[in-house]
Amino acid sequence: MNGISKNIIYSFIFLIVLFNQVQSRILIVQKGFRITSIKSALELSNNGDTILVKRDYYSEGTIIVNKSVTLIGENFPIIDGNHKNQIMIVKSSNFKITGFQFQNSGISFISDNSAIRLDSVNNCIIENNKFLNNFFAIYLSKTRNSQIINNTIIASNNKQTMSGNGIHLWNCKNIYVIGNKIEGHRDGIYLEFVRSSFIENNYCKGNLRYGLHFMFSDSCFYRRNHFEMNKAGVAVMFTKNVTMIENNFKNNWGSSSYGLLLKDITDSKIIRNKFYKNSCGIYFESCNRNQIFNNDFIENGWAIKLMTNSMNNLFQRNNFIENTFDVSTNSTQNFNTFTENFWSNYNGYDLNKDNIGDVPFRPVKLFSFIVANNPVTLILLRSYFVEILDFAEKIIPTLTPANLLDEKPLMKRSYDKIN
Amino acid sequence: MKINKKQILILSSLILLSLTFFFPIWKIDLEAPQYPEGIGLRIWLNKITGVNEYDLDNINKLNHYIGMKVIDQESIPELKIMPYIIIFFILSGLMLMFLNNKLFSATWIALLIIVLLIGLYDFYLWEYDYGHNLNPDAPIKIPGMVYQPPLIGTKQLLNMKTTSLPDTGSYLIGLAVIINSILLFDKNKFISKSFSFIVVLLLFNFCQKQPEKINYNNEDCASCQMTISDNRFGAELITKKGKVLKFDSIECLVFYSENFNQDEIYSMWVTDFSNPPELINIKDAYFLRSSEIQSPMGLNICAFSNTDSLNKIKNEFNGNIFNWEELVDLVKDEWH
């Protein structure tokens, strides 16, 4: 192709783009001017238009969006549901909303009322909005290829059962949930029947149940999220091919709190996460063939609780530092592998200086075994009697799983990664 | 000598009475973390035993710490008297068979009921005595704490959940009273029916184990360990021992109950979707499965106390109506 024809084609493309630009208009919503409500702006608009909403207070019942428009709020105009309604329902694809404050969506026990609900659409973006005191904040059902980015979602519902989830995805695919901050909802982020989605850099704090909760959601990717002080941490169930990388699980403390509760999880990767000060770092039940690499377990009550029905999990190069119990299990059988982990409770020696301890380390203390079967005995923790018991068991293991041991305990904390 | 139907009935009631020698009349069960198997007492007409071999010893050991007296059947005169009282009633009952005297049978029934009430009151006094008269030199002393077990029902004593209920023997005596009462009011069908109905109801209430309120967001599901948080779907299973297990969803209850010893289940409860958090017995519940209503464990089952409220939701959200057996099949299919 020579230069001239290339230029002609380029200018032709430019004209098409320009023509399209001319076709799409900008409508301005402002009290006292031509268009005073979002609803009437939507009625007047065509697909591809942009609606700019000036800062004000809008209370319009339920706004139903069935055109592909872009809604831009200037300085966070407030859209109020007055505790009665769903605030916005989106039924058309290619919709974008940014810069609004949604508040007070109605509480309903029949339908999961939400501030904004996307229903069976594609290619939508919800970005940079604020959500205050909604029942559910962002709710996506049967939606694909959409993004939920940098929203702030806060509920201060003191009535415990009156709270829905912050970001709720049901039956979705290819959703990007990135950089949101969620506080005070039932579950911060909830996924059910979701496929291949990315959950990154979200911050979930102080939610009533779980910071993150997903079920039946295969092949999703969770990276660099921060889960702190949620009532029960993070729960993950009935799911295959989960990848959890570099997340932070912090201060999930309470009688039934877990950093991460895993139930029926298979073929998944848990890599470079940090579990700090949780009642229980990770709880495994019926989990098979998972790789747990390079995680830090620091100052937890239990770093790992491993139930008998979990098999073929590989724990490699993790750091177990200052946990009350490193590993606890409820049987004398073990079908999992621990290797090359660093255990701060290890007091073996390394004569050949290869950074691998010359005696294997048994992370299951006899006492943790007793506690697993009889929780009340926890009161004896750190008593002289228990120390003696543990010591005796260390020398001649009889009750604890004989083959649950780390043959190659590291002498120093590991910082090198396995990928 | 001809024996008529009435005499056969009287005789059968006396046989019931004599059977009380072979069954305990009262049971006290203790539930405590240090006895995961449970520990309990059985009070018979003439003796007190433990449920398991060493239960009585263990209970006495426990009681010793809080300064309770040792439970010793030798020191309870009632155990010696009671068998004779029952024998007296059996013998006088035999006279009932052949006398056919209204007044006599009325007296017999009244006497029996009075004796039962006295027995109950006496039992209460014993419980009071054991619970209040504590040894001042006990190793564990809690000011103001009394250890009186409940007469009927459940009570938390320190770390022990104490459940006291009539046992088989009491029901046998109750049945004997009912049979003879019905015979007494034979002329008037209505009275006899309503009377027996009331007695049955009373007896039923005696052993009625009520569901507990679910403390949402603070309790975990017994089946899936999830924190129970959606008050439209909570469910409960009550065991014969009176233990209450709670679930976050109806599907969890179904799944758990199917893998649970069926003989141990006393009753099961689900939340009325139209009136949360009220619990209704599964026998009175109608179930709907609708994909529009998302339940905590994804099988989307909700329950209703009547067909009106069910149809109202069904008209709005569609879905299919299930009965309990169909739910069991559904959960088996979905979760295995």
Side-chain angles (χ1 to χ4, degrees):
Chain A
M1 219 189 266
N2 61 25
I4 295 173
S5 60
K6 231 184 208 173
N7 274 337
I8 288 172
I9 288 172
Y10 280 144
S11 47
F12 190 66
I13 289 173
F14 177 74
L15 276 175
I16 288 175
V17 171
L18 198 72
F19 184 72
N20 267 339
Q21 288 297 323
V22 171
Q23 280 299 298
S24 66
R25 300 166 305 156
I26 296 184
L27 292 78
I28 297 178
V29 178
Q30 195 170 2
K31 295 277 162 91
F33 285 77
R34 195 170 69 91
I35 307 173
T36 56
S37 77
I38 299 167
K39 270 187 177 171
S40 53
L42 283 166
E43 264 167 43
L44 295 166
S45 66
N46 300 316
N47 284 345
D49 286 354
T50 298
I51 297 170
L52 180 70
V53 181
K54 297 284 186 183
R55 176 171 172 83
D56 208 322
Y57 174 88
Y58 300 89
S59 169
E60 308 184 14
T62 304
I63 301 167
I64 293 178
V65 180
N66 42 24
K67 290 175 184 157
S68 303
V69 294
T70 300
L71 271 171
I72 301 176
E74 201 175 76
N75 278 333
F76 298 102
I78 294 171
I79 311 182
D80 198 323
N82 292 322
H83 302 287
K84 284 206 298 280
N85 314 304
Q86 305 233 44
I87 301 176
M88 187 176 281
I89 301 175
V90 178
K91 294 186 169 177
S92 62
S93 299
N94 307 311
F95 165 85
K96 181 179 178 182
I97 183 161
T98 176
F100 286 87
Q101 174 170 324
F102 289 84
Q103 63 186 42
N104 307 331
S105 82
I107 288 172
S108 150
F109 292 116
I110 306 298
S111 58
D112 295 330
N113 276 359
S114 39
I116 182 162
R117 183 188 194 107
L118 270 53
D119 199 349
S120 316
V121 296
N122 296 331
N123 308 322
C124 291
I125 301 175
I126 301 173
E127 189 174 4
N128 278 327
N129 301 284
K130 293 179 185 168
F131 293 84
L132 287 185
N133 294 332
N134 297 292
F135 185 48
F136 282 75
I138 302 176
Y139 195 118
L140 273 59
S141 71
K142 299 181 188 165
T143 294
R144 291 171 179 228
N145 312 329
S146 294
Q147 302 170 21
I148 303 172
I149 302 177
N150 294 348
N151 299 284
T152 304
I153 303 169
I154 295 172
S156 55
N157 258 322
N158 297 331
K159 284 190 181 162
Q160 300 242 318
T161 48
M162 297 297 210
S163 196
N165 303 327
I167 296 176
H168 185 107
L169 309 183
W170 181 74
N171 229 321
C172 297
K173 199 171 171 182
N174 298 343
I175 309 291
Y176 289 76
V177 179
I178 300 174
N180 302 285
K181 177 173 180 234
I182 305 142
E183 275 186 38
H185 276 274
R186 178 194 293 160
D187 289 342
I189 302 173
Y190 179 85
L191 294 81
E192 193 175 2
F193 306 111
V194 174
R195 295 279 174 279
S196 21
S197 293
F198 288 80
I199 318 294
E200 272 192 55
N201 280 322
N202 300 287
Y203 182 81
C204 300
K205 184 182 168 186
N207 292 291
L208 298 177
R209 186 167 66 175
Y210 300 117
L212 165 72
H213 182 189
F214 60 88
M215 299 163 78
F216 317 106
S217 295
D218 298 349
S219 316
C220 291
F221 188 91
Y222 304 82
R223 192 168 74 178
R224 294 188 189 158
N225 300 288
H226 194 100
F227 305 105
E228 187 174 353
M229 291 174 79
N230 297 295
K231 183 137 193 185
V234 168
V236 184
M237 303 183 182
F238 310 108
T239 301
K240 296 195 283 282
N241 299 323
V242 183
T243 309
M244 298 187 102
I245 295 185
E246 293 164 14
N247 301 286
N248 250 317
F249 302 85
K250 203 172 149 188
N251 290 329
N252 297 295
W253 200 268
S255 64
S256 58
S257 282
Y258 304 92
L260 182 54
L261 167 77
L262 301 176
K263 196 177 159 72
D264 287 82
I265 300 294
T266 46
D267 302 310
S268 297
K269 294 185 169 72
I270 298 169
I271 297 173
R272 295 197 296 277
N273 301 285
K274 192 167 183 178
F275 297 87
Y276 177 67
K277 288 202 171 176
N278 303 290
S279 289
C280 170
I282 313 186
Y283 175 95
F284 290 85
E285 186 174 316
S286 316
C287 297
N288 301 311
R289 299 187 303 274
N290 300 297
Q291 300 173 333
I292 298 94
F293 296 161
N294 299 112
N295 301 285
D296 288 343
F297 297 90
I298 302 173
E299 293 179 40
N300 302 286
W302 283 264
I304 289 176
K305 276 189 181 176
L306 193 54
M307 297 296 126
T308 340
N309 45 19
S310 297
M311 295 183 195
N312 304 322
N313 298 294
L314 174 59
F315 296 82
Q316 194 170 6
R317 296 232 161 212
N318 302 289
N319 297 309
F320 293 86
I321 297 167
E322 302 297 330
N323 302 295
T324 307
F325 299 114
D326 288 328
V327 178
S328 126
T329 177
N330 60 347
S331 101
T332 52
Q333 301 289 319
N334 171 46
F335 306 100
N336 303 286
T337 310
F338 287 81
T339 182
E340 293 173 48
N341 300 288
F342 169 73
W343 312 86
S344 66
N345 287 327
Y346 179 62
N347 43 18
Y349 44 84
D350 177 20
L351 295 180
N352 58 358
K353 295 282 183 281
D354 61 353
N355 194 25
I356 291 172
D358 298 347
V359 263
F361 176 70
R362 298 181 182 280
V364 181
K365 287 181 181 165
L366 171 63
F367 184 53
S368 78
F369 197 76
I370 294 169
V371 171
N373 291 314
N374 203 335
V376 188
T377 52
L378 199 55
I379 196 168
L380 299 171
L381 183 67
R382 305 198 203 293
S383 65
Y384 183 58
F385 169 69
V386 165
E387 305 272 316
I388 293 172
L389 268 184
D390 280 335
F391 188 71
E393 180 72 14
K394 217 184 246 177
I395 296 167
I396 314 165
T398 48
L399 295 170
T400 50
N403 64 348
L404 201 161
L405 46 83
D406 190 332
E407 293 277 10
K408 300 181 178 174
L410 298 184
M411 295 303 289
K412 286 203 209 77
R413 184 170 172 176
S414 83
Y415 291 100
D416 49 337
K417 311 296 181 206
I418 322 168
N419 280 319
Chain B
M1 190 188 96
K2 263 177 66 181
I3 294 184
N4 59 18
K5 209 155 88 180
K6 193 170 161 179
Q7 286 168 322
I8 289 175
L9 278 173
I10 293 179
L11 185 66
S12 63
S13 77
L14 298 181
I15 290 168
L16 287 179
L17 271 188
S18 51
L19 280 177
T20 53
F21 284 94
F22 307 101
F23 291 103
I25 44 177
W26 212 266
K27 58 180 175 189
I28 297 181
D29 283 311
L30 305 176
E31 232 182 274
Q34 64 265 49
Y35 296 101
E37 307 297 306
I39 181 168
L41 287 180
R42 294 290 178 268
I43 298 165
W44 306 59
L45 279 181
N46 54 351
K47 58 184 177 186
I48 295 180
T49 60
V51 177
N52 308 310
E53 199 179 349
Y54 299 110
D55 278 8
L56 193 55
D57 294 344
N58 282 332
I59 288 173
N60 277 328
K61 265 185 213 134
L62 286 172
N63 290 349
H64 150 83
Y65 284 110
I66 51 173
M68 236 194 232
K69 280 189 297 208
V70 171
I71 298 171
D72 174 21
Q73 48 191 47
E74 298 307 312
S75 66
I76 303 176
E78 284 85 340
L79 293 174
K80 301 208 172 36
I81 303 166
M82 269 197 296
Y84 293 109
I85 293 175
I86 295 294
I87 288 169
F88 161 78
F89 275 107
I90 292 171
L91 293 176
S92 53
L94 283 172
M95 287 161 68
L96 273 191
M97 270 179 76
F98 304 110
L99 271 175
N100 202 1
N101 176 331
K102 277 256 151 74
L103 185 67
F104 189 76
S105 29
T107 321
W108 187 86
I109 293 164
L111 256 179
L112 188 52
I113 291 174
I114 288 165
V115 165
L116 285 181
L117 291 174
I118 290 173
L120 265 182
Y121 181 65
D122 180 62
F123 180 52
Y124 171 82
L125 288 182
W126 274 109
E127 285 189 326
Y128 185 91
D129 177 56
Y130 271 110
H132 288 74
N133 290 341
L134 304 173
N135 180 352
D137 303 330
I140 300 175
K141 279 213 293 283
I142 298 173
M145 181 76 196
V146 292
Y147 301 96
Q148 183 181 352
L151 188 62
I152 294 173
T154 303
K155 192 165 144 191
Q156 190 78 22
L157 301 170
L158 293 188
N159 61 343
M160 296 275 201
K161 195 169 163 191
T162 315
T163 307
S164 165
L165 288 172
D167 210 338
T168 321
S170 299
Y171 297 131
L172 293 172
I173 300 173
L175 266 176
V177 171
I178 291 168
I179 290 172
N180 283 295
S181 313
I182 289 171
L183 291 176
L184 183 64
F185 297 113
D186 213 10
K187 284 281 182 293
N188 194 333
K189 278 279 181 328
F190 173 73
I191 292 178
S192 75
K193 273 204 175 117
S194 58
F195 179 79
S196 59
F197 179 73
I198 287 165
V199 175
V200 167
L201 211 65
L202 277 176
L203 273 174
F204 186 69
N205 276 337
F206 261 39
C207 58
Q208 180 73 290
K209 299 187 184 77
Q210 283 302 323
E212 282 172 22
K213 210 174 151 78
I214 296 174
N215 185 353
Y216 282 95
N217 281 329
N218 286 315
E219 295 188 279
D220 292 357
C221 174
S223 173
C224 73
Q225 274 88 40
M226 254 162 67
T227 310
I228 308 172
S229 78
D230 194 329
N231 72 352
R232 298 171 302 167
F233 299 100
E236 282 186 10
L237 183 152
I238 303 177
T239 67
K240 289 212 169 116
K241 280 189 173 166
K243 193 169 181 180
V244 179
L245 296 157
K246 296 171 183 170
F247 303 91
D248 66 346
S249 64
I250 297 168
E251 50 267 38
C252 271
L253 168 70
V254 175
F255 180 76
Y256 193 93
S257 65
E258 276 308 294
N259 297 318
F260 196 72
N261 181 356
Q262 297 296 320
D263 307 333
E264 285 286 302
I265 300 175
Y266 176 77
S267 65
M268 293 192 266
W269 303 79
V270 290
T271 302
D272 181 357
F273 187 84
S274 299
N275 185 21
E278 281 309 304
L279 290 161
I280 47 180
N281 195 310
I282 56 160
K283 294 188 184 94
D284 314 321
Y286 302 88
F287 299 98
L288 178 74
R289 185 184 189 209
S290 163
S291 58
E292 300 291 311
I293 296 167
Q294 288 149 36
S295 73
M297 289 300 283
L299 294 188
N300 307 336
I301 304 161
C302 49
F304 298 88
S305 59
N306 58 61
T307 44
D308 290 351
S309 54
L310 174 114
N311 287 325
K312 199 174 139 198
I313 299 290
K314 189 173 184 289
N315 292 338
E316 195 175 344
F317 296 107
N318 301 320
N320 303 316
I321 296 173
F322 280 74
N323 65 27
W324 182 260
E325 287 69 33
E326 289 164 337
L327 280 189
V328 171
D329 293 340
L330 171 81
V331 172
K332 271 186 186 161
D333 285 353
E334 291 277 345
W335 285 3
H336 281 291

